[in-house]
């Protein structure tokens, strides 16, 4: 996407599917016009990259905790090119809970739906999504679906599509 990047533009992790990249560029431009500067922290991840990330989480936190904050390889939305982790331009809060309290995190929570994104793992929905709250993690679902979810106040894809299963969170 044509947005500020945490890594080199040649890095696979700074790539997204074209429709996601285009929507992200539009959203980041709109935020900037309102004085909010967002940066892409992480986009696409290969299967091998996800193996490394997941294994590091297991090593650091144990399997039970890792499963609530990192997808197993083959199950990560990042592997689809439709998910993005966002951060503030200055790197004050990178892929961390503090993002929700920054102007960038507040703007993203309020406006992401206008550009076809949702906060994929919202607060209070851990038992539905299976993942802890991640205010920085957005998922492109398209403007029409994002608008419908916003209009009906449904926060998760699981609830919207009626595939809610009790998660082990």
């Amino acid at each position: 996407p044509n947005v500020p990047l945490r890594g080199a533009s040649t890095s696979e992790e700074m790539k997204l599917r074209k429709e996601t990249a285009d929507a992200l560029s539009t959203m980041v431009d709109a935020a900037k016009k309102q004085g909010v500067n967002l940066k892409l922290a992480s986009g696409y991840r290969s299967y091998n990259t996800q193996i490394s990330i997941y294994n590091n989480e297991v090593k650091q936190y144990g399997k039970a905790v890792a499963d609530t904050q990192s997808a197993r390889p083959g199950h990560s939305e990042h592997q689809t090119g439709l998910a993005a982790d966002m951060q503030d331009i200055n790197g004050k809060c990178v892929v961390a809970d503090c993002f929700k309290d920054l102007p960038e995190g507040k703007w993203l929570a309020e406006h992401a739906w206008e550009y076809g994104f949702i906060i994929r793992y919202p607060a209070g929905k851990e038992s539905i999504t299976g993942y802890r709250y991640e205010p920085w993690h957005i998922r492109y679902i398209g403007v029409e679906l994002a608008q419908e979810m916003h209009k009906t106040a449904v926060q998760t894809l699981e609830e919207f599509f009626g595939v809610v299963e009790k998660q082990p969170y």
Side-chain angles (χ1 to χ4, degrees), residues 5 7-12 14-15:
L5 306 171
S9 62
T10 55
S11 167
E12 76 174 11
M14 295 296 106
K15 309 251 184 239

Side-chain angles (χ1 to χ4, degrees), residues 119-133:
I119 303 296
R120 182 61 179 99
Y121 305 115
K125 300 294 183 172
E126 295 84 357
S127 66
I128 294 169
T129 65
Y131 291 97
R132 73 182 194 87
Y133 173 43

Side-chain angles (χ1 to χ4, degrees), residues 6 15 17 19 21 43 49 55-56 70 75 88 91 157 166:
R6 182 172 80 171
K15 309 251 184 239
R17 285 187 185 197
E19 65 271 23
T49 297
N55 287 344
N56 285 338
S70 180
H75 298 269
D88 63 293
L157 292 173
K166 187 146 181 93

Side-chain angles (χ1 to χ4, degrees), residues 46 56 67 81 99 124:
S46 69
N56 285 338
D67 282 341
F99 183 72

Side-chain angles (χ1 to χ4, degrees), residues 136-152:
W136 62 85
H137 182 102
I138 58 175
R139 160 78 186 266
Y140 184 72
I141 59 171
V143 174
E144 187 177 323
L145 180 55
Q147 288 176 346
E148 182 66 20
M149 288 180 68
H150 179 76
K151 184 174 103 181
T152 59

Side-chain angles (χ1 to χ4, degrees), residues 32-163:
K32 188 173 184 171
K33 288 176 184 167
Q34 296 178 34
V36 175
N37 295 297
L38 291 162
K39 180 188 276 190
L40 177 65
S42 177
Y44 172 77
R45 290 186 195 145
S46 69
Y47 184 84
N48 287 335
T49 297
Q50 194 63 32
I51 287 173
S52 177
I53 290 170
Y54 180 75
N55 287 344
N56 285 338
E57 291 278 320
V58 170
K59 184 184 279 185
Q60 187 171 359
Y61 303 108
K63 192 173 183 338
V65 172
D67 282 341
T68 67
Q69 59 191 30
S70 180
R72 292 179 183 186
H75 298 269
S76 173
E77 291 189 341
H78 284 281
Q79 289 177 249
T80 67
L82 298 170
D85 291 339
M86 302 303 293
Q87 69 173 77
D88 63 293
I89 197 80
N90 297 317
K92 293 178 193 166
C93 184
V94 180
V95 189
D97 292 345
C98 53
F99 183 72
K100 74 180 182 315
D101 298 318
L102 297 177
E104 294 83 357
K106 291 176 182 178
W107 189 95
L108 194 64
E110 186 176 337
H111 297 282
W113 68 272
E114 297 170 22
Y115 304 92
F117 293 93
I118 59 170
I119 303 296
R120 182 61 179 99
Y121 305 115
K125 300 294 183 172
E126 295 84 357
S127 66
I128 294 169
T129 65
Y131 291 97
R132 73 182 194 87
Y133 173 43
E134 293 186 354
W136 62 85
H137 182 102
I138 58 175
R139 160 78 186 266
Y140 184 72
I141 59 171
V143 174
E144 187 177 323
L145 180 55
Q147 288 176 346
E148 182 66 20
M149 288 180 68
H150 179 76
K151 184 174 103 181
T152 59
V154 175
Q155 293 182 297
T156 70
L157 292 173
E158 291 82 359
E159 292 169 300
F160 188 84
F161 289 111
V163 292

